[in-house]
Amino acid sequence: MDNVKNDRYYLGKIVDDLKFVIDHTEGKTREEIENDEVLIDSILFRIIQISENNGKLTDLFKADHQDVPWLAIKGMRNRIVHDYGVMDFSIIYDTVVHGIPETYEKLIDLL
């Protein structure tokens, strides 16, 4: 059993979480997402997990892939964690519709 936790491992976790959000929001309207508490909680949890795993990637890996918005990922996590309950849904929705699919496309080929 391979328990090596390196950049590839954490990248895989990030890609899995990005894919989860894409799969569970694809084809849904803003209203459908916004009115589904369980889905919102799942999205927020996955974004937090993405950021946590982002923080475990090496600086060298991030430097080699500067087209990925590493700081924005961390910033989104901080907004969710520290502003929970007053989070502007338009920011979350924009992240779901644009940020997550764009980041997924950048990272999927790195696995």
Side-chain angles (χ1 to χ4, degrees):
M1 186 168 170
D2 188 12
N3 287 327
V4 175
K5 293 185 178 174
N6 54 19
D7 287 332
R8 184 172 178 78
Y9 172 83
Y10 293 115
L11 180 62
K13 302 288 278 177
I14 292 168
V15 168
D16 288 347
D17 285 331
L18 292 167
K19 183 76 167 113
F20 177 92
V21 174
I22 292 166
D23 288 348
H24 288 85
T25 58
E26 192 171 28
K28 292 188 183 277
T29 66
R30 177 184 168 141
E31 291 74 28
E32 289 173 322
I33 296 170
E34 191 169 13
N35 292 323
D36 188 335
E37 285 183 37
V38 174
L39 181 56
I40 290 294
D41 283 350
S42 294
I43 290 168
L44 297 179
F45 175 77
R46 296 296 177 134
I47 292 171
I48 292 167
Q49 289 301 109
I50 290 164
S51 178
E52 294 297 321
N53 287 308
N54 167 36
K56 294 175 183 175
L57 293 168
T58 62
D59 291 338
L60 179 61
F61 180 84
K62 291 179 192 178
D64 286 344
H65 304 286
Q66 293 181 25
D67 59 321
V68 178
W70 304 116
L71 288 176
I73 292 169
K74 183 177 181 177
M76 177 59 79
R77 177 246 179 235
N78 290 342
R79 289 184 86 165
I80 291 168
V81 170
H82 299 294
D83 293 335
Y84 195 83
V86 293
M87 188 75 197
D88 182 351
F89 184 76
S90 63
I91 296 168
I92 297 296
Y93 185 72
D94 183 63
T95 299
V96 166
V97 171
H98 300 291
I100 288 177
E102 290 167 10
T103 303
Y104 178 81
E105 289 302 318
K106 290 177 182 180
L107 296 179
I108 189 66
D109 292 333
L110 300 178
L111 286 176

